[in-house]
Each structure stands twice: as structure tokens, then as C-alpha cells.
Amino acid sequence: MERRVVITACSAITPIGRTKAEILDSLMNGISGVKVLREDDVLSPYIHSKVFGTVDYPITYDFKRQYRKTMGPVAYYACQVAKEVLESAGLDEAFVTGGRLGVAFGSTHGSPTVQRGIYKTFFSGSQAGYSSIGAVDYLKSMVHTTAVNITKMFGITGRVISSSTACTTGSQSIGYGYEMVKYGMQDAMICGGADEYDTTTVAVFDNLLACSTAFNDTPHLTPRPFDVKRDGLVVGEGAGAVLLEEYEQARKRGASILAEVIGFSCNNNGGDLILPNLGGITETIRLGLKDAKIPADDMDFISAHATGTKMGDVIEAQAIHSVYGGRPAVTAFKSYMGHTMGSCGAIETIIVAHLLAGGFVVPTLNLEEVDERCAMINHVMARRESPLRVAAIQNFAFGGVNTSIIIKKWEGR
Amino acid sequence: MTREEIKTAILEFFRKEFEIENPGMEDNLREIHGFDSIDAIELLLEIEKLLGSELTQEEKKRAMDIQNLNQVCDYVESMARVR
């Protein structure tokens, strides 16, 4: 049995704003959330890329100590967006705690901030310090810290999925949550991803020569997906969460429906763990369409993964063109906020749902001159009204993991 | 260390770290104040600081039946006596 799955609530913490109004304002007015990389006195002095997609506004957390005590920064982000999703959805407590609501939520590597604290203690040589490393530090830093802190805070007793596949963490969470509901394993899932401010990830990409370095003095001009002057990705931070619900349940309780998830695909390149793979990405796109049971011609809009690297953008453009041709409009949202890693799939899904509902598209920021190798697809170069109906959110990760989420505008039935 | 000094130190720790203000000495920590396994581990670490020495695994296991603050103070007193 296949059931319909709809998005009934969403929340995000992004470098370009918190609320729907703030995020759309940034998108419509070309406001970048990329700022100068903060010094951390550990790795930052050695990193060549001095830019970061930064959440630089205050967030008020109202979490009781019993919840705070197992949370590192990444769990604060995750629990805040999950809290707002549940508040917005208005699910009753009996359902939330009854076992038919699950959580699919992850991050790139738990809380690196807390992990650094542990390593500092290890290497300090202090016996007293060593004994102070306890269960709490592990609970704050472990890979599934986001998912289980959400379950704890809200008493959720359903399934827990905690993907940790770098850039596809958020999209896998939504995809696997969608499958949970579609196939009747759960009636609703809180899905998303989060990543905190962290220079470890920047250092990794920096060492691989994948980070942007040419715009250190003008952070807002990078990253530049598909542009001839692009010189690499910009790491960022953030969080995004959506509530996926079985359609009949959502309808019966009068929930406000933002969009319908109609397809998901995930595959692996089966080889190199770093290089983008045209065959693998193309197959992901095809599998997504097959799952959604729609022809390629139905696709109106594509949120490209497009991080702004030299080869990644070219390969993605080729894959899009080989399946969709040049018709669907394409935007790369990382141009506004950098690559928010484990959260990007969720944040980009939320943005696309807003664009579907609003009937407009926004351009890829900093795309001034399209690289001729990426020119075969339909880049959005300016904001315009556009009656979108179906859209895809594409994400690809280190490890050769590829995902495609396909969502449809909610038209009342 | 007197009983009163132990009580003052423990109450201060509960106020500062656990955000529990003026708990009753006979309050069931788990049922009334939501004290859990993680809090117990943190409390043992604080007791080690109070004592100025590490607790053995056996000594830690003996703390697992503690339910209220009077029992916490009894435990600290007994641990201090054998040091």
C-alpha cells in the first residue's frame, strides 16, 4: 500500500534568516549570508578559505535544564526547529508520544564543538580532566545527538533514523521519512538536518582545494555556482525541519498543507568517494522520477546541489540536461548561504516549498557569467513570477551518495 | 568536613548545576525533581571534587540507591570517613 505524504509544517535556521519572511526577503533581494570566517584559535589560522555561511543573529532558546544537559550546539539547532515544527503543526500530545510519529534527523558529525572539548581534555594529560569525560559529553557529541534529543524533548516514541552522510544528511532524512509514511510504517515523521559552526569541515574541504579562497575580502560574492569565476564551496551552518504526514490524517485534522512529497531516490556512485559522478547523479534523477511516477517533462524547477566547485557544477548541469533537457528552471540556493552541510537538503526543500506556493523563482546569486560548460540548462538569472507545479531538490555528498526529492505544489487535493 | 558544610555544598551544586532551588532534604529526587541517571553521574563527579579523591567503582555502585538529599549527605560523610 502506498500512501500520500504531505508537508504540514516547517522551520529553519539559516544564514539568511529564521522566518519564512526573512528568508524570502533575502532571496528576493539578493542578500547573502556568507560572512568572514570567525577565528577559533585551533584551525582557522591554517585555513585558506576565510568565508563561512554564518548564523549571526541571536536565537532565544527556552529549553529546560533536563533537556539542555544532553545538548551540544547542533542539538540546540535541531531541537529549536523541531519545536517550532510541532508548535506550528498543532499535533495533539497523545499522537506525538503514541509511537506513530517518528524522527529522521541527522548532522554531519554530531557536535564537533563538544568533541574538541573532549580531545582537549585527553591531550591535557590531566588525570582529573580525564575522569570528567562522562556520559553527558558523549550524548552531546554523538552522531545521532540531534535525533534523540528531539525524541527526549517531546517524548516521541516512534522510529528513529539518524543519517550522517554529510551533504545528503538532510535530504536522506526527508527521503527516508517520506518512505516511512508512504509505506505505512509511521503516520508522521519530523525530518531534517542540522550542523553547527565548525571549522573542522572547512579545513577538510580546504585541504582538498575545494573551498573558495578568492573572495575572502568580499564574502558576499561567493560561492558562485555555475559562474565562470566560481572557485569553490563555502561551508555554512544551519538547521531545517519539516513535518511529513500521511495525507488522510492531515486532511481529517484540518492541517495546513504546504506541499506534497511525491518522489525520492538515493543511490551511490559505487566507486570514488570524492569526485562527482555523472552516471550516478543521472541515475538518481531518473530513479526519483520513477518513484514519483511522472515524466521528465513535468519538472518545472530544480534546486541544484551546485556548491560552486569547478567540476561538481559541470557534472550536475550535464546530468540535469541529459534527463530534463533545457526546460526546467534551475537555481542554486547555496549561492545565498553557503553549504550548510547536513541541513542543506532540508533548508532547500523548505525554500522550494515556499517558491511552489508563491509561484515565483529567484536567481542563483553571484551568477553573472554562466560557464559555457554549464550553459545548456535553464538558469534563473532574475526573480520572476513562475507558476511552478513540480520541483526537485538535488543533493550529492562525499562518499558518492546522491539524492533527489520531488515535491509538488499543494493545489487543495 | 562537617555535615552542615556537606549540605551547603550539595545544595549549592543542586542550585547552580541542576537548577533545583531549595529542595526538601527528604524529597524523592527522581519523582519530584526529575533527577535521572545523567544527573547521578554528574553528582558523583561533584562528590569526588568535594572529597578531593576519586571514588572506586564499588563506592560508586553503592550510590545508585540514593533517593534524597539526606542520603546524599550520608553517603558523602561515609566516603569522607574512610579517606
Side-chain angles (χ1 to χ4, degrees):
Chain A
M1 179 185 63
E2 293 187 7
R3 310 190 302 172
R4 294 176 72 185
V5 183
V6 291
I7 302 172
T8 53
C10 65
S11 173
I13 295 169
T14 82
I16 58 169
R18 281 279 282 125
T19 64
K20 175 184 174 183
E22 288 169 356
I23 293 168
L24 290 183
D25 181 66
S26 295
L27 294 172
M28 290 193 283
N29 293 295
I31 298 168
S32 169
V34 176
K35 305 287 166 56
V36 173
L37 181 78
R38 289 200 303 268
E39 295 296 325
D40 68 353
D41 298 324
V42 179
L43 293 171
S44 62
Y46 309 102
I47 295 171
H48 303 88
S49 179
K50 299 294 184 187
V51 289
F52 195 90
T54 308
V55 174
D56 61 355
Y57 45 82
I59 300 171
T60 303
Y61 299 105
D62 184 24
F63 302 146
K64 291 179 181 170
R65 189 201 73 87
Q66 68 187 104
Y67 305 121
R68 295 197 313 266
K69 66 189 176 189
T70 53
M71 293 164 61
V74 72
Y76 272 84
Y77 274 0
C79 287
Q80 184 64 28
V81 291
K83 178 172 180 270
E84 288 167 3
V85 158
L86 285 173
E87 286 171 353
S88 168
L91 296 169
D92 65 56
E93 192 178 340
F95 177 76
V96 170
T97 60
R100 296 299 294 170
L101 170 69
V103 174
F105 216 102
S107 61
T108 300
H109 40 196
S111 175
T113 306
V114 177
Q115 287 155 8
R116 276 187 190 180
I118 295 172
Y119 294 138
K120 270 185 189 169
T121 305
F122 267 125
F123 294 116
S124 71
S126 158
Q127 189 63 24
Y130 180 82
S131 67
S132 73
I133 298 169
V136 176
D137 289 326
Y138 175 64
L139 296 168
K140 286 178 179 175
S141 68
M142 61 192 184
V143 168
H144 57 313
T145 188
T146 54
V148 295
N149 271 292
I150 291 170
T151 61
K152 181 185 175 195
M153 185 171 286
F154 303 103
I156 296 169
T157 58
R159 290 193 169 206
V160 172
I161 302 169
S162 192
S163 288
S164 180
T165 55
C167 322
T168 49
T169 298
S171 56
Q172 275 196 332
S173 297
I174 292 174
Y176 294 152
Y178 156 73
E179 290 173 345
M180 281 290 112
V181 178
K182 179 180 180 180
Y183 295 113
M185 313 295 285
Q186 300 277 254
D187 292 329
M189 293 287 290
I190 298 173
C191 308
D195 262 316
E196 67 193 46
Y197 187 92
D198 170 40
T199 52
T200 312
T201 313
V202 187
V204 169
F205 285 112
D206 199 67
N207 273 336
L208 291 165
L209 308 178
C211 278
S212 173
T213 56
F215 300 90
N216 287 345
D217 296 329
T218 50
H220 63 288
L221 297 181
T222 190
R224 309 172 67 86
F226 302 119
D227 187 83
V228 288
K229 291 181 185 163
R230 70 188 183 283
D231 73 325
L233 63 83
V234 174
V235 178
E237 63 183 317
V242 295
L243 180 70
L244 302 186
E245 268 189 273
E246 190 275 319
Y247 166 63
E248 284 300 331
Q249 168 182 304
R251 185 184 63 79
K252 282 175 189 164
R253 71 180 190 87
S256 173
I257 296 173
L258 306 176
E260 180 174 4
V261 183
I262 60 171
F264 171 68
S265 61
C266 178
N267 71 349
N268 195 274
N269 295 331
D272 195 291
L273 299 184
I274 295 175
L275 294 177
N277 182 301
L278 179 58
I281 291 172
T282 305
E283 183 63 9
T284 309
I285 296 171
R286 289 204 175 105
L287 289 170
L289 289 170
K290 187 178 175 188
D291 188 58
K293 300 183 179 71
I294 59 169
D297 287 348
D298 279 7
M299 189 58 64
D300 297 316
F301 180 80
I302 295 167
S303 164
H305 185 63
T307 60
T309 60
K310 289 287 183 191
M311 280 317 296
D313 292 5
V314 174
I315 296 289
E316 183 170 12
Q318 290 172 343
I320 290 170
H321 187 259
S322 72
V323 178
Y324 295 114
R327 197 188 75 81
V330 178
T331 299
F333 294 109
K334 291 179 183 70
S335 60
Y336 291 83
M337 65 190 90
H339 189 340
T340 58
M341 306 306 295
S343 65
C344 73
I347 290 173
E348 288 159 11
T349 299
I350 292 167
I351 289 173
V352 172
H354 291 326
L355 297 190
L356 286 176
F360 63 95
V361 291
V362 295
T364 296
L365 194 61
N366 300 321
L367 179 52
E368 294 171 334
E369 184 182 349
V370 178
D371 182 337
E372 62 180 17
R373 295 171 297 170
C374 305
M376 71 294 255
I377 57 174
N378 179 16
H379 295 285
V380 180
M381 302 300 287
R383 177 189 160 194
R384 64 169 192 266
E385 303 296 310
S386 186
L388 308 173
R389 191 165 169 269
V390 178
I393 299 93
Q394 302 184 165
N395 293 108
F396 318 119
F398 266 18
V401 183
N402 310 306
T403 62
S404 176
I405 298 169
I406 300 179
I407 67 174
K408 188 175 152 191
K409 179 180 181 177
W410 185 248
E411 294 170 313
R413 62 192 177 91
Chain B
M1 200 183 316
T2 67
R3 174 88 178 186
E4 203 53 36
E5 286 170 336
I6 292 169
K7 182 181 168 184
T8 302
I10 295 294
L11 284 174
E12 174 62 11
F13 183 69
F14 268 64
R15 186 189 65 76
K16 197 173 162 189
E17 297 300 325
F18 295 157
E19 298 176 9
I20 298 174
E21 298 278 354
N22 303 315
M25 295 304 287
E26 291 293 325
D27 285 358
N28 185 301
L29 292 172
R30 180 178 291 273
E31 289 174 10
I32 297 177
H33 300 292
F35 204 78
D36 64 14
S37 56
I38 294 165
D39 298 325
I41 291 165
E42 290 196 344
L43 180 59
L44 284 172
L45 290 170
E46 182 61 21
I47 289 171
E48 285 182 331
K49 285 182 200 163
L50 262 180
L51 295 170
S53 67
E54 280 188 48
L55 296 164
T56 66
Q57 291 291 310
E58 284 307 310
E59 287 172 333
K60 285 178 181 175
K61 285 174 188 169
R62 282 170 50 199
M64 292 301 123
D65 295 330
I66 290 174
Q67 293 185 345
N68 61 45
L69 281 169
N70 270 331
Q71 290 171 336
V72 173
C73 293
D74 291 344
Y75 178 78
V76 177
E77 271 189 318
S78 68
M79 292 299 110
R81 269 197 299 274
V82 298
R83 278 163 169 80

